[in-house]
């Protein structure tokens, strides 16, 4: 199982970023081992509406997403990736 978190920083002590489309980082965590990987959100500076097709980007597959706000455009785009 992989958990993705929209985050304000690169480690497990940072806060959850309430913005999915404009979060600074995505942290991918294996809850069984607590191993994690932090990736910069390449969509943070993308042109367009946050959460629209181009910015609703989660760079790796995950089973669970923890974020503050997931608008309808981002929810729709993520549903298509399942």
């Amino acid at each position: 199982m992989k958990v993705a978190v929209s985050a304000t920083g690169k480690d497990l002590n940072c806060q959850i970023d309430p913005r999915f489309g404009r979060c600074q980082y995505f942290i991918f965590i294996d809850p069984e081992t607590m191993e994690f990987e932090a990736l910069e959100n390449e969509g943070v500076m993308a042109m367009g509406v946050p959460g629209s097709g181009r910015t609703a980007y989660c760079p790796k597959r995950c089973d669970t997403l923890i974020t503050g706000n997931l608008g309808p455009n981002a929810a729709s785009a993520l549903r298509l990736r399942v």
Side-chain angles (χ1 to χ4, degrees):
M1 176 180 187
K2 289 279 186 186
V3 176
V5 179
S6 60
T8 59
K10 300 182 199 183
D11 61 53
L12 298 180
N13 294 318
C14 66
Q15 294 184 349
I16 293 172
D17 195 323
R19 307 161 301 162
F20 171 75
R22 299 282 189 232
C23 69
Q24 293 295 310
Y25 295 91
F26 290 105
I27 298 179
F28 296 89
I29 307 164
D30 181 336
E32 293 179 14
T33 64
M34 292 308 290
E35 290 183 22
F36 71 95
E37 177 182 15
L39 299 175
E40 283 189 65
N41 179 7
E42 294 179 8
V44 73
M45 298 303 285
M47 300 295 281
V49 178
S52 64
R54 298 189 90 183
T55 60
Y57 173 74
C58 192
K60 288 183 145 191
R61 285 198 173 280
C62 61
D63 300 300
T64 302
L65 172 65
I66 299 172
T67 189
N69 183 29
L70 193 61
N73 291 336
S76 178
L78 289 172
R79 213 171 292 127
L80 293 174
R81 293 191 69 196
V82 174

